[in-house]
Amino acid sequence: MDILTISLVISAIHLGVPIILPMLGGLVSERSGVMNIGLEGMMLGGALAAVAVTFITGNPWLGLLGAIVSGLLSGLILAILTVTLRGNQVVASTAINLIGAGITAALVPIIWGVDGTSPSVPKIPSMTIPGLSDLPVVGPLFSSLTAMDYGTFVLAIVVWWVLFRTDAGLRIRAVGESAESADAAGIAVVRTRFIAVMTSGAFAALGGAYLSIVTLDVFQASMTQGRGYLALAALVFGKWRVWPALAACIVFGLADAFALRSQIVGIGIPHELLLALPYVLALVALATFVGRTSAPAGVGKPFVRA
Amino acid sequence: MRSAAVRLVDISKSYGDVWANKDISLTVEEASIHGLLGENGAGKSTLMKILFGMVSPDSGLLEVNGQPAAFRSSADALEHGIGMVQQHFSLIGTFTVAENLILGRGSQSFGGRWVKRLDLKAAAQRTRELSDRFGFGIDPFALCHDLSVGARQKVEILKALWGGATTLVLDEPTAALSPPEAEELYEVLERLRREGTTVILISHKLPEVMRLCDRVTVLRDGAVVGDREIALAARRPGGQRAAMEADLVQLMIGRERPVVSQRAPRDLPPVLSIRELSDGKRIDGLDLTVNGGEILAIVGVEGNGQSELVELLIGQRKRISGAVELDGTDITALSTKQRFDKGLAHIAEDRHASAIADSMSLTDNASFGFIDGAPFAPTPFWLSRRLRSRFAALLVARQNVRASSPDALIESLSGGNQQKLVVARELARAPRLMIAAQPTRGLDIASTTAVHEALLALRDRGSAVLLLSLDLTEVFTVADRIAVIRGGRIVGESPIATADATQIGQWMSGAASKEPV
Ligand SMILES: Nc1ncnc2c1ncn2[C@@H]1O[C@H](COP(=O)(O)OP(=O)(O)OP(=O)(O)O)[C@@H](O)[C@H]1O
Ligand SMILES: [Mg+2]
């Protein structure tokens, strides 16, 4: 029973957070009516920016800031493509994915002169919370999480609060349900969507940075391994609501953690199969839920005023 | 003369080669009800969207309360005290009434709206007050897509008034209302006028225009063709009113009101017979027969199973028990497509939801429902573009649909012209049974007559027509027989010649259920 210990919970969190962050980004964007399949590409951008800035400054916190800037930029590009130029949202955000994967891979040799993997940089340190970390059983939890793990859950609360409790959230959701109605109610549709899509980029980039300067201390080409898509699956699973989608992310994280542990412990199932578990779950989620989801009604529809 | 609440000067707006508005000038007096009349596509909605900041004019000036104004969005217009109820609903279905009302008006500061809790309790309280003031009885926490059409219309009005609008624009507000609901609305408008609100009313219904308006402006092909004061004496039914109405019709369509042709009774075997039909929810043991060569009108208070009956007939709703026969064959096991092949046609109640695809072209919309057969598909793998265009052109000509081109997106057509296309398409099926739900919703006088003529022509060919209408005038104009639906069953039937309005009213409200029929 060694496999079901507190360390499994810890690694589930470690593996869940880089799905939660892009999920929150996708949520904000899609609630405003812009489909963002580009989370994966935005994550890669964030992961690289975080390592590059940390490499130059030696400070991983500045690296995080760099990731946010890169995310805002990629969000800005997507917003210009889909909101201003009214391009097809699926095509535009897929382009972000392709460009994100291509550019980040190409930049590694340009910056560091090596192929594939960057040199290692300082990581965001984990925090030990005095008192709590001495508790039996749950103690290790409070000595192995970083500020970013806590921050992610705080961010989820913030996103929930803003989207579902404030005026700004009502506006964002209105724009996502029906841009025409929102326009008639005097809401600035274009501005709202820009804000939402750029925020989405920043969140996704933070998810990427988590992988590169929290989980690891290097950037590797394609290191996100489809987590951006898992985040999208979680959104569908959670019906575009914060807590159910977050729960889905944790389940994906848990599945991932389980697969990794089983590799060490050995439970008789080929571990390649287990590694595919989160993706299989996502597939099942998409296949079973897609028909009767409650996606925001305006997703995918560009807004044009006569 | 009182001062002008709103003045529009030389407003022009073109879409491609179509002039939606051409040098339109309009002055609306304060605390009056000003009617805006004109055929479908005359440019009424466009003009009002310009006033509301939703459409920017190519040229022209706006004045509000004597001050020049330029609106870049409806937010600007709202700030100047102008509220508008759009031609089609602009409520968000997944939001509650209170959320819809407070939308866009929650907080003034940009920063504050991101952190402060939106006070929905206060909004609900305000909704209740406003709703009580007009006797609407709206539940602030109801989701908008659960509301009846009438209730939604009321919410739209509350929304326009929410910010304290002093000028209220209503674009065909009664098109989807039943007569009693419309009556309530008239009283609200009269009351608003008394309290000093200026109202601009777009309508195709002359009786309501005559009853409410102080003044009317008539548009034709994007230009003003006339302006009339409605004298008090013309407000009440009588001689002067008829003359005034005739005058307005003349202005609107350039000729006299067309009359619906006379008809002779037919006696043919049943086309549609429904026995003990139930869906386990809203339809509860419904019996009904429609004969060939007959137009049967179903009337009733909205929400008594009308929509469900239609869905059952066209195969979009699951039947629990009962039989539906078309020309003697049971169709309950057939799919929607098979039913259409058997001779059913359907003019949908809500065209945006189930009759047209907003962002496809007129030609595409014209060929919906004909995809895998004649007239444009020689094989199932090929649709002839040429034949489809020709077909679309035919429909356009038949119902006089006005559009800039056959490739125009259907959403760029005026509401009435969209409806005309749907009607033409369904008529083109040459159906045995036409299910026409609110077929003249939003149509102008001439087009309404054209649709009535088309339904009568079907009848004269021996087909049956099932008409669902909220408009009793329409029912009495075309129907041969009238059936009243309540609680999912038919509670009374009468030939139109001997139909008695009081009796029908009692059937509709249920007051007559104890009396022998
Ligand atoms: N967005 C648009 N793009 C292209 N043409 C348009 C657009 N909006 C309106 N039009 C055209 O402008 C003309 C006037 O349309 P408008 O909607 O103002 O008519 P309306 O008087 O309100 O008619 P209805 O009684 O049918 O509602 C029509 O010919 C219509 O096709
Ligand atoms: Mg209109």
Side-chain angles (χ1 to χ4, degrees):
Chain A
M1 279 325 279
D2 191 30
I3 197 159
L4 298 175
T5 56
I6 189 71
S7 63
L8 182 75
V9 174
I10 293 170
S11 63
I13 292 177
H14 278 314
L15 292 162
V17 166
I19 309 175
I20 295 173
L21 284 166
M23 179 278 290
L24 292 173
L27 180 70
V28 172
S29 170
E30 303 212 349
R31 278 288 186 171
S32 83
V34 180
M35 176 173 302
N36 189 355
I37 297 178
L39 294 170
E40 181 84 2
M42 295 175 164
M43 288 178 80
L44 281 170
L48 178 72
V51 171
V53 173
T54 312
F55 182 78
I56 294 164
T57 62
N59 183 341
W61 297 103
L62 288 179
L64 273 190
L65 207 64
I68 292 178
V69 172
S70 94
L72 289 173
L73 266 178
S74 53
L76 181 67
I77 295 172
L78 181 61
I80 290 174
L81 287 175
T82 58
V83 182
T84 312
L85 302 175
R86 296 190 289 274
N88 181 300
Q89 296 177 359
V90 175
V91 175
S93 50
T94 305
I96 297 264
N97 278 339
L98 297 175
I99 295 169
I103 286 191
T104 50
L107 279 177
V108 173
I110 293 176
I111 301 175
W112 291 288
V114 290
D115 250 346
T117 305
S118 74
S120 37
V121 296
K123 291 170 64 158
I124 299 237
S126 51
M127 304 195 305
T128 302
I129 298 181
L132 291 178
S133 56
D134 300 330
L135 290 177
V137 189
V138 294
L141 191 61
F142 296 101
S143 58
S144 54
L145 296 184
T146 65
M148 254 192 104
D149 295 290
Y150 298 111
T152 297
F153 289 96
V154 173
L155 198 61
I157 295 172
V158 170
V159 167
W160 166 79
W161 174 264
V162 171
L163 269 184
F164 297 99
R165 287 293 178 274
T166 70
D167 187 27
L170 190 71
R171 287 165 191 254
I172 293 175
R173 287 185 288 132
V175 169
E177 289 291 336
S178 165
E180 284 73 25
S181 301
D183 182 49
I187 295 170
V189 174
V190 169
R191 183 174 70 184
T192 307
R193 286 195 169 162
F194 261 82
I195 292 173
V197 175
M198 288 176 69
T199 309
S200 162
F203 288 1
L206 279 175
Y210 187 93
L211 290 172
S212 66
I213 58 173
V214 177
T215 311
L216 300 176
D217 55 2
V218 292
F219 176 82
Q220 291 169 345
S222 307
M223 69 188 302
T224 47
Q225 292 178 321
R227 286 186 174 81
Y229 298 108
L230 282 182
L232 288 175
L235 269 186
V236 178
F237 227 161
K239 299 198 167 181
W240 288 265
R241 286 171 304 159
V242 177
W243 304 121
L246 188 126
C249 291
I250 303 264
V251 170
F252 291 154
L254 208 59
D256 222 353
F258 194 71
L260 288 178
R261 301 290 325 263
S262 71
Q263 200 176 342
I264 304 162
V265 181
I267 55 169
I269 302 172
H271 106 274
E272 288 81 2
L273 258 185
L274 286 170
L275 278 182
L277 197 58
Y279 304 92
V280 172
L281 279 179
L283 209 63
V284 171
L286 289 171
T288 47
F289 280 75
V290 128
R292 44 207 157 90
T293 47
S294 26
V299 162
K301 295 185 193 148
F303 169 69
V304 56
R305 183 173 315 138
Chain B
M1 184 165 164
R2 283 170 291 191
S3 60
V6 172
R7 228 157 72 84
L8 296 145
V9 186
D10 289 335
I11 300 281
S12 294
K13 172 81 188 174
S14 66
Y15 291 105
D17 348 316
V18 181
W19 286 94
N21 288 169
K22 204 169 176 181
D23 294 328
I24 295 190
S25 296
L26 177 72
T27 305
V28 181
E29 273 175 39
E30 210 175 281
S32 72
I33 300 183
H34 194 113
L36 200 53
L37 306 185
E39 296 189 88
N40 295 130
K44 308 176 296 290
S45 299
T46 306
L47 186 67
M48 288 302 109
K49 282 187 195 158
I50 288 172
L51 173 61
F52 191 52
M54 287 188 79
V55 170
S56 46
D58 298 342
S59 63
L61 296 170
L62 282 179
E63 261 178 36
V64 179
N65 299 321
Q67 302 296 316
F71 301 152
R72 275 178 301 116
S73 74
S74 36
D76 294 345
L78 288 164
E79 215 157 90
H80 281 77
I82 296 173
M84 176 161 175
V85 176
Q86 306 286 326
Q87 186 165 5
H88 44 242
F89 290 123
S90 64
L91 297 175
I92 293 176
T94 49
F95 284 12
T96 65
V97 171
E99 283 174 333
N100 264 295
L101 291 180
I102 200 163
L103 189 58
R105 328 278 178 85
S107 62
Q108 293 310 314
S109 81
F110 182 76
R113 76 170 71 129
W114 292 88
V115 280
K116 267 191 272 162
R117 185 193 188 99
L118 182 63
D119 197 347
L120 279 174
K121 274 214 194 82
Q125 183 57 33
R126 174 99 204 277
T127 307
R128 213 170 269 130
E129 280 166 19
L130 210 55
S131 151
D132 288 348
R133 202 177 118 202
F134 297 111
F136 282 174
I138 301 266
D139 171 13
F141 296 109
L143 287 180
C144 279
H145 59 50
D146 293 339
L147 295 178
S148 73
V149 182
R152 259 184 273 173
Q153 189 61 266
K154 288 174 186 163
V155 177
E156 292 272 4
I157 291 170
L158 293 183
K159 186 173 162 193
L161 291 172
W162 183 267
T166 50
T167 300
L168 181 62
V169 181
L170 298 156
D171 195 346
E172 300 187 29
T174 56
L177 298 190
S178 65
E181 286 171 325
E183 187 58 39
E184 271 179 55
L185 179 68
Y186 300 154
E187 276 157 27
V188 169
L189 295 185
E190 280 167 344
R191 168 160 175 190
L192 282 170
R193 169 170 56 191
R194 274 202 305 283
E195 292 172 359
T197 306
T198 311
V199 177
I200 304 179
L201 176 71
I202 299 181
S203 174
H204 292 295
K205 298 184 181 171
L206 277 181
E208 79 185 26
V209 170
M210 299 300 294
R211 164 174 173 179
L212 293 169
C213 298
D214 301 290
R215 207 179 171 80
V216 297
T217 300
V218 181
L219 303 186
R220 197 196 308 160
D221 293 332
V224 176
V225 290
D227 218 310
R228 296 283 185 274
E229 179 122 20
I230 299 193
L232 273 177
R235 300 232 175 118
R236 275 172 286 283
Q240 213 175 334
R241 177 165 177 171
M244 184 93 214
E245 279 192 22
D247 178 32
L248 290 177
V249 171
Q250 181 79 34
L251 270 182
M252 267 191 281
I253 63 179
R255 58 195 158 95
E256 276 173 26
R257 183 200 283 270
V259 281
V260 174
S261 50
Q262 287 304 310
R263 54 217 147 102
R266 308 283 305 263
D267 196 13
L268 297 173
V271 169
L272 174 75
S273 38
I274 305 173
R275 280 191 309 277
E276 287 291 318
L277 187 64
S278 299
D279 71 344
K281 295 191 188 87
R282 303 294 283 277
I283 298 293
D284 177 25
L286 184 138
D287 285 296
L288 190 68
T289 309
V290 192
N291 294 325
E294 180 184 51
I295 299 182
L296 173 73
I298 294 193
V299 299
V301 176
E302 189 175 300
N304 273 281
Q306 291 97 321
S307 316
E308 289 78 7
L309 173 62
V310 172
E311 285 171 11
L312 277 166
L313 289 179
I314 62 175
Q316 285 190 333
R317 177 176 275 267
K318 245 191 140 61
R319 171 197 65 116
I320 298 292
S321 64
V324 179
E325 281 179 8
L326 188 65
D327 279 327
T329 42
D330 190 6
I331 58 165
T332 41
L334 301 186
S335 70
T336 302
K337 181 187 170 302
Q338 288 166 327
R339 293 180 195 209
F340 277 57
D341 290 345
K342 277 245 175 303
L344 215 68
H346 172 218
I347 298 172
E349 170 183 37
D350 181 350
R351 62 172 171 267
H352 291 283
S354 42
I356 56 175
D358 278 338
S359 51
M360 293 179 83
S361 74
L362 190 157
T363 306
D364 288 336
N365 274 283
S367 40
F368 282 171
F370 294 102
I371 297 305
D372 62 340
F376 355 89
T379 78
F381 305 104
W382 180 47
L383 276 177
S384 159
R385 169 144 187 90
R386 194 173 49 85
L387 290 176
R388 283 169 67 215
S389 307
R390 199 189 287 167
F391 181 66
L394 193 74
L395 298 189
V396 164
R398 269 198 200 155
Q399 284 290 329
N400 191 16
V401 179
R402 282 194 210 171
S404 46
S405 89
D407 298 319
L409 296 188
I410 197 99
E411 65 187 355
S412 78
L413 269 61
S414 80
N417 281 302
Q418 296 172 355
Q419 181 72 10
K420 287 198 251 176
L421 183 76
V422 172
V423 171
R425 181 184 73 201
E426 296 307 313
L427 285 170
R429 295 180 190 285
R432 285 293 296 150
L433 173 69
M434 168 65 92
I435 301 170
Q438 322 297 346
T440 57
R441 177 173 285 181
L443 292 190
D444 60 34
I445 294 176
S447 314
T448 301
T449 314
V451 170
H452 290 165
E453 288 287 357
L455 293 181
L456 289 168
L458 272 180
R459 161 190 184 280
D460 290 340
R461 277 215 315 267
S463 300
V465 177
L466 188 65
L467 172 71
L468 291 99
S469 180
L470 290 168
D471 183 352
L472 285 182
T473 327
E474 171 166 280
V475 168
F476 279 94
T477 314
V478 298
D480 299 298
R481 202 151 55 88
I482 187 166
V484 179
I485 189 170
R486 184 163 47 80
R489 46 171 68 215
I490 300 294
V491 293
E493 276 182 37
S494 157
I496 209 79
T498 60
D500 163 26
T502 352
Q503 170 74 83
I504 289 171
Q506 284 175 346
W507 278 333
M508 281 167 72
S509 62
S513 53
K514 282 146 273 158
E515 295 173 24
V517 178

